[in-house]
């Protein structure tokens, strides 16, 4: 429960639209972990919220795309984020950045960071590589911090992702589950102590 007696609300999504995305599997596991800790969770598949690449001319002509407005509403209704960021060429995916960018826009054509500011996030990554997407998380942390999200200190990387998940979408190794649980515990604890303040 948060300071106002309500469960912490956490929305989770991955910066990949791929159906068999490792990062989607990771977020689903993390949201289950947050639920077990008493949080209310919402899963968002960005494949259901297709957006054009951000274009100022398009925004000026047509305003915020409907899917951006829908995501903005969803993000605004939650106090916490679980974000799994696939690493693309050492950074975050275009899908993740484009989504964060569109949701930061307002009808006044200036950044509206309300869906992010004062919120908290746990970040994670899954990758086939031995680093598990670690380099992309450095960027994810920086971008989220810049838009007003406090990212919990510990983060999750899942290496050798091809072998990390079972067919039913769970971890093969207990150590990965323990790590996710530990980070989710930190996120939920922060939300429980801080969310009632806002
Ligand atoms: C354009 C591109 C660049 C990539 N660059 C990296 C990289 O820098 N580091 C890495 O660990 N994996 C990299 N990968 C591999 C991704 O980690 C891998 O495709 C992963 O499965 C993507 O996440 P998903 O399973 O959630 O879709 C790259 C993949 C693509 C398509």
């Amino acid at each position: 429960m948060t300071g106002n007696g309500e469960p912490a609300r956490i929305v989770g999504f991955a910066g990949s639209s791929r159906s068999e995305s490792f990062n989607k599997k990771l977020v689903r596991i993390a949201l289950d972990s947050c639920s077990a800790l008493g949080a209310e969770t919402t899963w968002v598949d960005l494949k259901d919220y297709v957006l054009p690449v951000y274009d100022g001319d398009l925004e000026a002509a047509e305003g915020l795309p409907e899917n951006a407005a829908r995501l903005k509403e969803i993000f605004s209704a939650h106090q916490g984020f679980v974000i799994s960021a696939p690493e693309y060429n050492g950074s975050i995916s275009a899908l993740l950045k484009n989504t964060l960018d569109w949701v930061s826009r307002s009808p006044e054509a200036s950044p509206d960071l309300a869906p992010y500011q004062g919120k908290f996030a746990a970040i994670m990554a899954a990758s086939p590589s031995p680093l598990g997407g670690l380099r992309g998380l450095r960027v994810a942390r920086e971008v989220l911090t810049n838009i007003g999200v406090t990212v919990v200190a510990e983060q999750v990387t899942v290496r050798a992702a091809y072998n990390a998940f079972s067919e039913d979408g769970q971890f093969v190794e207990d150590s990965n589950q323990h790590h996710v649980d530990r980070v989710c515990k930190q996120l939920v604890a922060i939300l429980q102590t801080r969310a009632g303040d806002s």
Side-chain angles (χ1 to χ4, degrees), residues 2-197:
T2 60
N4 60 18
E6 291 177 7
R9 290 186 304 279
I10 297 171
V11 58
F13 57 93
S16 170
S17 54
R18 201 169 69 87
S19 315
E20 291 302 314
S21 160
F22 301 128
N23 288 278
K24 285 189 195 178
K25 290 177 186 169
L26 182 50
V27 173
R28 302 299 289 251
I29 290 172
L31 289 180
D32 284 348
S33 178
C34 292
S35 294
L37 292 162
E40 207 174 276
T41 62
T42 304
W43 157 246
V44 165
D45 186 343
L46 292 183
K47 207 180 181 92
D48 297 333
Y49 297 85
V50 174
L51 287 167
V53 172
Y54 178 78
D55 174 344
D57 290 340
L58 176 74
E59 183 188 33
E62 299 177 21
L64 210 57
E66 196 184 328
N67 280 337
R70 288 167 67 203
L71 283 173
K72 198 164 174 165
E73 212 169 290
I74 295 170
F75 289 6
S76 298
H78 293 78
Q79 305 132 335
F81 298 97
V82 168
I83 299 173
S84 193
E87 181 178 287
Y88 281 4
N89 296 319
S91 185
I92 58 174
S93 64
L95 173 65
L96 177 57
K97 184 64 164 57
N98 193 50
T99 301
L100 294 173
D101 287 345
W102 269 120
V103 173
S104 75
R105 302 302 294 166
S106 72
E108 288 75 40
S110 61
D112 172 7
L113 300 179
Y116 304 116
Q117 274 178 335
K119 308 278 178 82
F120 296 85
I123 56 172
M124 42 201 70
S127 159
S129 89
L131 285 179
L134 182 65
R135 294 177 305 164
L137 287 187
R138 185 180 45 81
V139 179
R141 182 176 293 276
E142 186 178 347
V143 170
L144 289 165
T145 303
N146 287 341
I147 56 178
V149 178
T150 302
V151 182
V152 297
E154 208 175 333
Q155 61 194 21
V156 176
T157 52
V158 175
R159 302 166 206 176
Y162 284 119
N163 302 318
F165 301 93
S166 61
E167 278 192 6
D168 61 356
Q170 298 303 307
F171 283 126
V172 172
E173 301 280 341
D174 285 347
S175 57
N176 279 326
Q177 184 67 54
H178 293 151
H179 198 181
V180 167
D181 289 344
R182 199 164 66 233
V183 172
C184 288
K185 205 167 173 184
Q186 289 172 15
L187 176 64
V188 173
I190 290 175
L191 291 175
Q192 285 172 339
T193 52
R194 300 290 296 278
D197 300 344

